[in-house]
Structure formats: structure tokens, C-alpha cells
Amino acid sequence: MDILKNKIQNLLSFVGQNDIEVALQNVLDTFVCFYHLQINGHQVYPTEVEAYYYQNGIFEDACVHRNELQTNHYGQLYVHRAKKNGTKDDKYKGRAGVDVCLSDGSYTFAVLLRGIEVNNEIILGPINVRKMLLKLLGTTDNKILEQQKDILIKEKLETGHTFFSPRIGITSGCVDAELRAVHTDTLIGTNYRKKELLYLGYKRRNIHSDISDARILLGYIPKKLL
């Protein structure tokens, strides 16, 4: 079985909230470090992503859109709609981001692309990511973006590691869940939002980490650590 699908099957076997969060982090780590997107001949590497997962009665994250395109559309793209719990025919959100759907069943699972690297350039912010993907396709039509097939390509070797933090701008649902992942190789010199949270998440998992690690991993020492 494909390594990413194997991680997702493992996720589906859990019912406890903490176990599910860890399993989601494992999926994100695999997605960021082992895969890229193939868009019109261009290799697009995810550098910053967020997980949005909803399964009735098991993990009901209120901030998940739950659009039909986020369910059972594995490997396809979903451009955000203005309406929650909607269909593919609903109007697009004005400032829409784009997700990669990772669901191949009745559950909802999609990964928001917050940052990508393409042609040696890092693009940050969900709206900018969508605009770049459209540019690679030579279109402004979101529907063409959603029509792309077979875009998930596995790397031969793992390309690095990830740091985790809570998702950006979430005010409902699993607010504190650390379901945002950033590729470690892109941390230094890249202006990620709330960058310090990524190091603090690392520090919680590595209790022997000291302040010098922050300089190595971030390129500077956050004021809150001084």
C-alpha cells in the first residue's frame, strides 16, 4: 500500500482524541516530507500545511468545511467555498485557499496548502498559493484547478522533517490541536506566521532542547525565550 494511504488507514483505526492528533501529525509529516504535487509539469513541494479532519461521532472538528469535495476525492484539489457543509456547486469564497483531499471514504479529510515551493521560490499564504497554482495552469478558473488528476507524486527518499503548532486563525473546533506542519529545511529565512510556535512545539517534544537550538532551527532566538 502507498505509504501515505497506509498512514491514513492507521488514522482511521483510532477513536481517542490524542491518538487521532498524533496520527494526523504522522500523515502531515509523510505528506510534507515524502510527496510533491505535479501541476502542469511543475513540481510543487508543500512546505506549510494544516490538517482538517472530520469523522462523525469520533473526531468532530467544527472548523472543517465538510464540502463534498473534501470527502472521497483522494488526491484532488478543493478550492474553499463560502458555505460550510456544501457541494461543489456552491460559490467560491472570496479569499479562497486550496486543499488537497486525502479522503477515500465517507469521512472528511483535507490538507490546506499554506506554503509551497515551486521553481526554487517559496510562496506563503493560502491565497497566494492558490494564485500560483492557477498561474502554473495558465488560468484564473478555480474549476480547472479542481479538475486536476493524479497530482500526488511520492519522492524516492524522505526530504526532511516537520515542526508542528496549532493552526493559524482557528477560533472554533480543535483550537489547540497541533495540526499545522512546516518543513524544517525551510524555517531559516522564511517569514512563516507565528514561527516561534513551531519551535515551542518542538521544545515540548524534546525536553532536553535548550535555547541554542532555537538559533539553529529558526536562525534567531525568540524574545519570549530570553
Side-chain angles (χ1 to χ4, degrees), residues 112-169:
L112 168 65
L113 298 173
R114 289 194 59 88
I116 58 172
E117 182 174 359
V118 58
N119 299 328
N120 295 314
E121 179 184 6
I122 291 181
I123 308 297
L124 296 181
I127 301 168
N128 293 330
V129 167
R130 178 177 57 85
K131 288 179 178 179
M132 174 55 75
L133 296 181
L134 288 169
K135 182 178 179 181
L136 296 177
L137 288 167
T139 184
T140 58
D141 188 345
N142 289 323
K143 290 190 181 300
I144 292 178
L145 195 54
E146 292 179 332
Q147 290 167 0
Q148 302 305 300
K149 306 286 187 181
D150 302 320
I151 62 170
L152 269 179
I153 307 297
K154 184 183 179 298
E155 297 289 320
K156 292 182 179 179
L157 297 172
E158 184 177 17
T159 62
H161 301 285
T162 49
F163 280 178
F164 298 98
S165 81
R167 295 166 295 185
I168 302 296

Side-chain angles (χ1 to χ4, degrees), residues 70-90:
Q70 294 175 300
T71 301
N72 203 24
H73 281 74
Y74 183 89
Q76 294 181 240
L77 298 173
Y78 157 69
V79 179
H80 294 179
R81 301 307 203 271
K83 179 183 175 183
K84 277 193 173 185
N85 304 330
T87 72
K88 63 183 180 182
D89 297 320
D90 290 334

Side-chain angles (χ1 to χ4, degrees), residues 37-52:
L37 309 181
Q38 192 79 7
I39 304 292
N40 198 25
H42 297 272
Q43 295 180 335
V44 178
Y45 294 91
T47 63
E48 180 185 14
V49 298
E50 292 178 348
Y52 291 88

Side-chain angles (χ1 to χ4, degrees), residues 22-214:
V22 171
L24 283 167
Q25 289 173 345
N26 288 334
V27 172
L28 290 179
D29 183 72
T30 300
F31 180 78
V32 169
C33 297
F34 280 96
Y35 288 80
H36 69 267
L37 309 181
Q38 192 79 7
I39 304 292
N40 198 25
H42 297 272
Q43 295 180 335
V44 178
Y45 294 91
T47 63
E48 180 185 14
V49 298
E50 292 178 348
Y52 291 88
Y53 174 65
Y54 190 103
Q55 192 170 14
N56 285 325
I58 296 176
F59 194 82
E60 298 184 341
D61 186 354
C63 65
V64 178
H65 290 182
R66 299 176 65 194
N67 186 280
E68 66 176 348
L69 293 179
Q70 294 175 300
T71 301
N72 203 24
H73 281 74
Y74 183 89
Q76 294 181 240
L77 298 173
Y78 157 69
V79 179
H80 294 179
R81 301 307 203 271
K83 179 183 175 183
K84 277 193 173 185
N85 304 330
T87 72
K88 63 183 180 182
D89 297 320
D90 290 334
K91 291 179 63 175
Y92 291 106
K93 191 174 180 180
R95 296 171 61 82
V98 58
D99 296 353
V100 180
C101 178
L102 296 183
S103 166
D104 61 0
S106 60
Y107 57 95
T108 299
F109 188 18
V111 171
L112 168 65
L113 298 173
R114 289 194 59 88
I116 58 172
E117 182 174 359
V118 58
N119 299 328
N120 295 314
E121 179 184 6
I122 291 181
I123 308 297
L124 296 181
I127 301 168
N128 293 330
V129 167
R130 178 177 57 85
K131 288 179 178 179
M132 174 55 75
L133 296 181
L134 288 169
K135 182 178 179 181
L136 296 177
L137 288 167
T139 184
T140 58
D141 188 345
N142 289 323
K143 290 190 181 300
I144 292 178
L145 195 54
E146 292 179 332
Q147 290 167 0
Q148 302 305 300
K149 306 286 187 181
D150 302 320
I151 62 170
L152 269 179
I153 307 297
K154 184 183 179 298
E155 297 289 320
K156 292 182 179 179
L157 297 172
E158 184 177 17
T159 62
H161 301 285
T162 49
F163 280 178
F164 298 98
S165 81
R167 295 166 295 185
I168 302 296
I170 298 300
T171 58
S172 64
C174 303
V175 175
D176 297 322
E178 295 192 339
L179 299 180
R180 171 199 182 205
V182 172
H183 198 295
T184 52
D185 290 357
T186 65
L187 277 174
I188 295 179
T190 304
N191 191 28
Y192 289 112
R193 289 186 62 189
K194 299 188 177 181
K195 196 172 180 179
E196 293 84 359
L197 293 179
L198 297 163
Y199 171 72
L200 293 176
Y202 167 82
K203 194 172 188 300
R204 281 192 293 275
R205 293 173 175 77
N206 298 270
I207 59 175
H208 299 297
S209 172
D210 61 32
I211 199 168
S212 63
D213 288 336

